[in-house]
Amino acid sequence: MLNEKIRNLRKQNNMTQEQLAEKLNVSRQAITKWESGAGQPDIGNIKALADVFGVTYDELLSDGEICGRDNVSRTEFDIFGESDFEISFGCVKELDITTSDEEKLLVEVRTDLTEKAYRLAKVRLSAGKGRDIAAVRIQPDLKYVCESTGKPLTKQEAKQHLYVRVILPTAFADKIELNGDADILSVHDITEPKHIEYDGKARTARIVNIRGHFELTSGEDMEIRYDGSAEQLDINQLGAISNLYLAKGAKVNVYNKGRACDLVFDGYENNADAENQVELNGRKTELTVRAE
């Protein structure tokens, strides 16, 4: 249960309710409600809780246990100038992308298996196509032998056990290109304007507190949860049926520029005069816009 995880993680991190409330900029009474189950944090506070506790969004919300220290590997790279980042991450359960003021790139791989994370996924950094492009490769090794069956995990089986978090340097990350296969894509707290492109598979996308232009391209049906923070969000899909959930208070103009695409509003009153835009592109896609 979420309330139990919040309470246990707070205690594991030696925090009082007051200290946790101060970090999240909420009241102590809010923490008490979350831990007792009398209330639940919204999407922004769940993301903040995950960041404070050093876990992924999915780990916090899932029914499983939080990964232990032996199941986490961290790789750091010093970045010395402005770069475009190409991040290829193979096949994972969750990809979490954010930025920080550190002048380095941090890649964190977690697993809920008994095997150490670094044995399941290799992390490489190369010069890419040019001197201003940093190409990051996070590729699952897929050689883990399942204890119950004695057989190696398949690609899809391994995907359910790998969580990848990438922290990029705010000052040096200009364009961010993401490519791979993830059940959950979480992009958050990118506070300076960036151009972000995602091209791959994703069943769920969570987009919170970002600036700039985000192009989200996926051929799968998607559940997109969005707080309306980016100046431009492009949703590019082919033959999909997807839902866009807008956070309470979000004011965006959602419009259709796709071919044979349907845009449906269910509980959200579109704001045609809003500065921030959501553009539906692609072909034969239905997007339903809902208010959370």
Side-chain angles (χ1 to χ4, degrees), residues 184-225:
I184 300 169
L185 170 68
S186 182
V187 182
H188 62 98
D189 298 315
I190 299 177
T191 54
E192 291 188 8
K194 310 292 181 186
H195 188 105
I196 307 169
E197 297 179 8
Y198 180 87
D199 190 352
K201 295 181 178 180
R203 293 175 57 191
T204 300
R206 300 185 178 107
I207 306 166
V208 178
N209 191 27
I210 71 170
R211 301 292 181 269
H213 186 182
F214 189 2
E215 295 184 54
L216 179 60
T217 302
S218 178
E220 290 192 337
D221 297 350
M222 293 188 68
E223 180 180 281
I224 305 165
R225 297 188 177 273

Side-chain angles (χ1 to χ4, degrees), residues 98-147:
T98 190
T99 59
S100 78
D101 293 333
E102 297 289 328
E103 294 184 357
K104 60 180 60 180
L105 165 70
L106 172 65
V107 180
E108 182 177 276
V109 178
R110 294 173 176 263
T111 176
D112 55 11
L113 297 170
T114 57
E115 187 62 277
K116 293 184 182 296
Y118 70 86
R119 293 177 180 170
L120 293 178
K122 297 176 181 177
V123 181
R124 295 190 179 97
L125 177 68
S126 62
K129 300 176 182 177
R131 65 180 183 179
D132 63 337
I133 296 178
V136 185
R137 301 286 181 260
I138 305 117
Q139 184 59 50
D141 196 335
L142 307 182
K143 293 182 180 179
Y144 176 73
V145 177
C146 180
E147 293 179 347

Side-chain angles (χ1 to χ4, degrees), residues 92-93 112 155-163 183:
V92 301
K93 176 68 175 179
D112 55 11
K155 185 176 182 180
Q156 286 301 316
E157 289 170 338
K159 173 181 179 178
Q160 300 305 314
H161 300 281
L162 285 174
Y163 305 82
D183 274 357

